[in-house]
Amino acid sequence: ISTSELATSYAALILANEDVEITAEKLQFLITSAKFNVDTTKDSILTWAIEGEDVKDVLLSNNSG
């Protein structure tokens, strides 16, 4: 996993933990506040992938094979 993917994932987890809607703008704010430079395309892809999903539920229902 790259540093930018990790930063984006942590930002999404922070927002989910605070019950804040995950948007590309909010992800980018957290990432830049932490002094990371991340490709905004990855933010958009992550936002699209988890849109409408409860990130906490997704993480807790991980089905490892």
Side-chain angles (χ1 to χ4, degrees), residues 30-64:
L30 286 175
I31 292 165
T32 55
S33 295
K35 309 269 191 258
F36 283 98
N37 292 320
V38 174
D39 180 7
T40 56
T41 304
K42 290 184 181 180
D43 292 345
S44 299
I45 291 169
L46 179 62
T47 303
W48 173 80
I50 60 177
E51 186 175 23
E53 300 290 334
D54 184 337
V55 174
K56 292 179 198 173
D57 287 343
V58 171
L59 291 174
L60 293 174
S61 68
N62 182 15
N63 294 326
S64 300

Side-chain angles (χ1 to χ4, degrees), residues 1-14 27 30-31 34 36-38 43 46:
I1 189 164
S2 71
T3 302
S4 62
E5 291 169 333
L6 194 57
T8 303
S9 298
Y10 279 132
L13 290 172
I14 290 168
L27 288 171
L30 286 175
I31 292 165
F36 283 98
N37 292 320
V38 174
D43 292 345
L46 179 62

